[in-house]
Amino acid sequence: MLTLRDLVPEDHDLVVPMVQDFYHSDAVDHPVDAAILERSFQDAADPAEPLLRGLLIQWDGEAAGYLYVTQCYSAEVGGRCVFLEEVYLKPEFRGRGLGAAVMAWLEEDYPAARRFRLEVTQANQGAVRLYQRAGYQFLRYDQMVLDKTR
């Protein structure tokens, strides 16, 4: 049975290896400093951090993956936007329908959202297919960023 629960600091040794796997997979197309990944986990597991929610994905009580979610307002849809910052399932849990169940859970847990948004690399075709089956479409914008990570 699928369950999702908020991360707590004690999940560090369980979740951070999954974060590292995510950042060394086709899901990410550029290197990210390990200190940033650590800081992000700490924020995701801190209930006082209002901008990032971390969730442990479990199947029958076993850690199957993790999810990082943020929210913002989207003027394009006139309402709340839920941004799936990171979605990761361990390889042994892929292809079992858990990804689709997580996507459905998100819509149930965020009923006020007018848009759900995520980023996906073209190399990560398994994720692309999952998201398309869940109803996601490509929104062709080029992103520009100014990173101030230090």
Side-chain angles (χ1 to χ4, degrees):
M1 172 181 200
L2 176 72
T3 56
L4 285 94
R5 69 158 174 81
D6 290 304
L7 293 180
V8 294
E10 293 78 20
D11 292 325
H12 180 276
D13 292 346
L14 184 63
V15 174
V16 170
M18 290 188 278
V19 171
Q20 292 168 344
D21 286 346
F22 176 83
Y23 277 89
H24 290 94
S25 74
D26 287 341
V28 181
D29 64 2
H30 62 278
V32 177
D33 188 285
I36 292 172
L37 302 180
E38 180 66 33
R39 184 170 65 227
S40 294
F41 170 81
Q42 296 300 326
D43 287 342
D46 182 356
E49 171 51 66
L51 298 178
L52 181 62
R53 181 182 184 194
L55 295 134
L56 182 66
I57 302 167
Q58 296 177 299
W59 182 255
D60 289 337
E62 187 177 349
Y66 76 96
L67 174 66
Y68 285 170
V69 179
T70 65
Q71 294 184 65
C72 63
Y73 188 93
S74 173
E76 287 186 359
V77 295
R80 186 175 303 247
C81 177
V82 174
F83 193 102
L84 288 64
E85 184 68 30
E86 294 177 17
V87 181
Y88 176 82
L89 289 174
K90 291 179 178 178
E92 62 267 29
F93 289 97
R94 296 175 191 161
R96 297 184 182 186
L98 270 80
V102 168
M103 303 308 283
W105 178 90
L106 280 160
E107 290 188 49
E108 292 171 14
D109 205 59
Y110 294 92
R114 299 269 176 124
R115 171 176 279 169
F116 290 85
R117 187 172 183 152
L118 54 82
E119 296 173 348
V120 63
T121 62
Q122 286 300 314
N124 195 358
Q125 284 298 301
V128 169
R129 287 188 298 277
L130 166 67
Y131 302 144
Q132 287 176 325
R133 283 193 309 270
Y136 286 68
Q137 303 172 34
F138 282 99
L139 181 62
R140 299 286 184 196
Y141 284 109
D142 289 329
Q143 291 192 34
M144 296 176 68
V145 298
L146 172 62
D147 288 336
K148 294 188 173 190
T149 57
R150 304 235 185 253

